[in-house]
Amino acid sequence: MAYDNIDGQISRIYVHSAGCSVRVHGYGDRYFKLGRSHSNYSPIYAALLSASLTGQQIRLRLGDYNPPEPASSDILYIVADLPEQ
């Protein structure tokens, strides 16, 4: 099973009744979705919100994809590295 990673800074978070959708700089008007049914919705949403407020670089792991374009927009998890001090 192949996955796709999206790296960048968050340009928009759109919260709705089904979860939230996220835009990342460099990916145009495309939204990446985090559904409320995700088992880690709350901590992932908190990390997305924090990264958006601080301008932190993130990595989103998405579902299955077929190169060159990621076919899935569903977020599986987020990675946000803390800056070195």
Side-chain angles (χ1 to χ4, degrees):
M1 177 182 278
Y3 294 100
D4 195 17
N5 293 319
I6 299 298
D7 296 312
Q9 290 179 314
I10 296 172
S11 60
R12 172 181 274 183
I13 293 181
Y14 171 56
V15 181
H16 44 81
S17 62
C20 74
S21 299
V22 178
R23 273 197 209 162
V24 178
H25 288 291
Y27 292 90
D29 291 336
R30 184 175 182 173
Y31 280 100
F32 301 96
K33 302 174 291 192
L34 176 64
R36 290 188 67 205
S37 61
H38 192 292
S39 60
N40 285 324
Y41 177 82
S42 293
I44 293 173
Y45 175 74
L48 289 169
L49 188 57
S50 175
S52 71
L53 294 173
T54 63
Q56 187 174 2
Q57 186 85 0
I58 60 161
R59 169 171 283 179
L60 298 179
R61 167 69 56 97
L62 305 176
D64 295 336
Y65 82 104
N66 293 312
E69 282 292 319
S72 173
S73 293
D74 294 328
I75 298 170
L76 297 179
Y77 67 77
I78 179 176
V79 175
D81 294 321
L82 300 177
E84 292 184 30
Q85 295 185 22

